[in-house]
Amino acid sequence: MKYTLLAWFCLLFFCRSGFGQEPVQYTPNKINQFKFVPLPAIGSNPANGWMFGLAPSATWYMGNPENTKLSNLVGNILYTTKKQWIFSVRSNIFLSENDLILVGDWRYLITSQPTFGLGSSTPNDPTQDPSFREPPGVLWGEQQMNFRLLRFYETILKRISTSNWYLGLGYHLDIHSRIESFLNEESQAPEGVFTHDAYNISNGFDTERYVLSGFTLNAVYENRDIPVSPYERNFALISYKINPTFLGSDQSSSTLLLDYRHYFNLSQTRKRHILALWGYGNFLVNGQLPYMNLPSLGWDMFSRSGRGYPQGRFRGESMLYSEAEYRFPLQKGNETFGGTVFLNANSFGNEFNQEKLLESVNFGYGVGLRVMINKENRTTITADYAFGRKGNSGFYLNINESF
C-alpha cells in the first residue's frame, strides 16, 4: 500500500508541475505554439508490473482551434519491475479544419509475458492434456514467453466533405523476434509442446521469428467532443487489413477489425455523469496468422481492453469484446476527482483446438478513481482495480480514460 501511495504522490506532483498552467488564449486563424512536456512516468498493470521512466507528450493545433481538433503525441521510455524495456510513440494528428487525420503507433519492446493457449477456456495453471480440448501433447495454461517486437503502424485518413466520416489507407508492420517459451521454475507440468510452438509449427511459421506486413483500408467516424476523455457522442472504426507476402509477410492473410464507442451524457448540469459503451471485434478472414499476431486481449492500440486479466490472457482467430463503464464526479462543485465502475466481457474462437466463438465468455469488473489534472483538455490520471475469473485480478495506473 505504501508503494501505491508513493507512486500517486510522485505522479500527481510531476503531472501538476507539467500541466498545471493557465489556459492558453487562442488567437483565431493562428496555429497554436507547439508544447512539449518531458513528463516522468509511473504506471502499473499485470503484464508489466510497475513501470518507471519518461512519458514525453506534445500537443498542438495544425489550424484554427475553432474548427481544428487538438493534435497529440505521447511517447514512452519505460523500464519495468519485470525487467522489460518499452519504447513507444503514439500520435493522433488533425490537420487544418480536420481535413486529414494521421494516426501513428510505433513501438520497440524488449519484453516478456505469459500466454495461456488459444480460446476462452484455457486454464490458469499449466497442464499437458486437458480433457476439454485437443490436440494432445500440447501444453495449456500459463507459459512464459520472452520476445522482442518492432511495430510500425501509420494511417492517413481523409475527411469526406464536411462530415465526420473519414476514409484512408495505412501500412502496418510487426516483427517478432528472439522468441523463447519456457515454464516458471515452480511449475510442475509434464513436458510437452508449448502452445506457441505447436500452433506455429502446425501452420508453417517459424517459432523464433516472424513478420507480418500489410496495408489497411479504413473507414472512421469521429464525433467525440474530446477523444482522450469524451463526455458525449460516438466513434466508429472499420479496418480491413491485407498481409501479402510481397510486402514481407511470412504468409498471406487478411483480418477485419471493428471498433465502436458511444458516450451517453446522463446529466445536463454535470456532464461528468457518463455511461460509456465499447464494442470491439477482431477476426481472421482468410489465411493464417503467426501466434503473437492473433487477436488477443489487451493488444488494442493503447492496451486498455480486458481489465481484470493480464495482457494476452486470451487469444484466438476470432475475438469479441464489450465493455460498459459508468463515470461520475466525486465533488459537488469541482471536476478534479471522479470515480467509475465497469463491467467487460470477452470471447475467443479458433480452429486449432476447435473452440467456437461465444462457446465460453469471460467477464471482468472493477472500480476506479479519476484525477483530472488539466480541465481544458481533460487530461486525467486513472487508477483501477479489476477482477476476472478464477483468481485473475490486477491494478491499472494510466493516463486518460480507458476508452
Side-chain angles (χ1 to χ4, degrees):
M1 182 66 179
K2 63 181 180 180
Y3 298 107
T4 301
L5 292 174
L6 176 62
W8 266 102
F9 174 81
C10 294
L11 190 58
L12 285 169
F13 174 80
F14 287 124
C15 286
R16 288 188 180 276
S17 66
F19 286 104
Q21 49 196 335
E22 294 297 320
V24 179
Q25 299 297 318
Y26 299 116
T27 302
N29 301 317
K30 182 179 179 180
I31 297 178
N32 185 36
Q33 184 179 359
F34 181 88
K35 290 186 175 181
F36 177 78
V37 180
L39 189 68
I42 300 173
S44 176
N45 64 56
N48 304 112
W50 284 95
M51 299 173 283
F52 305 91
L54 292 175
S57 65
T59 57
W60 70 98
Y61 284 97
M62 299 292 289
N64 185 348
E66 294 181 358
N67 57 25
T68 304
K69 291 182 182 290
L70 184 70
S71 295
N72 68 86
L73 179 151
V74 178
N76 284 295
I77 305 173
L78 302 172
Y79 184 73
T80 80
T81 53
K82 295 189 177 182
K83 300 181 180 180
Q84 304 158 339
W85 284 99
I86 300 172
F87 305 93
S88 68
V89 177
R90 300 168 199 179
S91 59
N92 281 278
I93 301 173
F94 295 85
L95 273 64
S96 181
E97 299 183 7
N98 303 321
D99 186 55
L100 292 172
I101 305 176
L102 307 178
V103 182
D105 181 1
W106 310 346
R107 309 185 202 184
Y108 181 66
L109 310 179
I110 303 174
T111 189
S112 60
Q113 72 175 218
T115 184
F116 295 79
L118 300 175
S120 302
S121 306
T122 51
N124 287 330
D125 298 324
T127 181
Q128 183 178 1
D129 188 15
S131 59
F132 60 88
R133 284 292 172 248
E134 298 287 339
V138 176
L139 286 174
W140 300 93
E142 184 174 0
Q143 304 154 56
Q144 298 297 320
M145 294 182 64
N146 292 331
F147 62 94
R148 299 191 180 190
L149 170 62
L150 174 65
R151 169 168 290 183
F152 178 82
Y153 289 6
E154 193 66 40
T155 302
I156 181 169
L157 300 161
K158 168 67 177 172
R159 189 175 186 179
I160 306 304
S161 185
T162 58
S163 72
N164 292 316
W165 279 101
Y166 294 80
L167 298 176
L169 295 172
Y171 173 70
H172 291 197
L173 171 69
D174 281 326
I175 302 176
H176 286 87
S177 61
R178 301 192 184 186
I179 303 168
E180 179 188 9
S181 297
F182 59 97
L183 291 175
N184 286 327
E185 293 181 359
E186 63 269 20
S187 297
Q188 299 297 320
E191 292 186 2
V193 181
F194 292 104
T195 311
H196 169 272
D197 297 350
Y199 172 88
N200 271 19
I201 291 171
S202 68
N203 288 286
F205 292 104
D206 190 76
T207 60
E208 297 181 359
R209 183 183 186 276
Y210 37 80
V211 178
L212 191 70
S213 173
F215 60 92
T216 55
L217 308 174
N218 304 279
V220 170
Y221 183 73
E222 177 56 271
N223 194 34
R224 296 171 291 184
D225 54 342
I226 296 182
V228 297
S229 183
Y231 280 175
E232 55 190 347
R233 301 196 289 271
N234 54 348
F235 167 87
L237 165 67
I238 303 173
S239 182
Y240 185 68
K241 184 177 181 182
I242 303 169
N243 309 300
T245 54
F246 67 80
L247 283 180
S249 295
D250 291 348
Q251 294 186 33
S252 295
S253 62
S254 64
T255 60
L256 177 65
L257 174 65
L258 306 174
D259 189 334
Y260 182 75
R261 310 175 186 200
H262 205 115
Y263 306 88
F264 296 93
N265 195 272
L266 304 180
S267 172
Q268 291 302 313
T269 57
R270 294 298 302 276
K271 288 198 170 184
R272 205 169 177 184
H273 284 282
I274 306 156
L275 176 62
L277 302 177
W278 183 14
Y280 184 91
N282 198 354
F283 311 95
L284 175 63
V285 177
N286 61 59
Q288 300 292 341
L289 290 171
Y291 186 89
M292 292 298 288
N293 289 113
L294 290 168
S296 180
L297 200 64
W299 277 98
D300 50 287
M301 181 173 176
F302 289 99
S303 304
R304 300 300 177 90
S305 63
R307 282 175 292 178
Y309 299 96
Q311 185 184 47
R313 175 59 182 87
F314 300 106
R315 188 184 307 271
E317 295 166 356
S318 55
M319 169 185 177
L320 284 175
Y321 180 81
S322 62
E323 184 159 354
E325 182 171 83
Y326 172 48
R327 302 169 185 169
F328 50 89
L330 292 176
Q331 299 166 286
K332 287 186 177 180
N334 195 301
E335 298 299 324
T336 301
F337 291 97
T340 182
V341 292
F342 54 88
L343 172 70
N344 60 59
N346 67 80
S347 182
F348 290 80
N350 68 97
E351 292 295 329
F352 182 69
N353 60 335
Q354 301 175 0
E355 183 171 359
K356 296 180 181 180
L357 188 66
L358 296 179
E359 182 177 330
S360 178
V361 178
N362 299 294
F363 292 94
Y365 59 93
V367 298
L369 177 67
R370 302 292 181 264
V371 182
M372 190 177 294
I373 58 176
N374 187 316
K375 296 179 183 179
E376 182 185 358
N377 59 18
R378 301 181 196 158
T379 302
T380 304
I381 298 172
T382 66
D384 300 313
Y385 201 92
F387 301 87
R389 72 173 179 88
K390 296 183 178 180
N392 285 273
S393 65
F395 174 69
Y396 304 80
L397 180 62
N398 287 299
I399 294 289
N400 293 327
E401 296 291 353
S402 293
F403 65 94

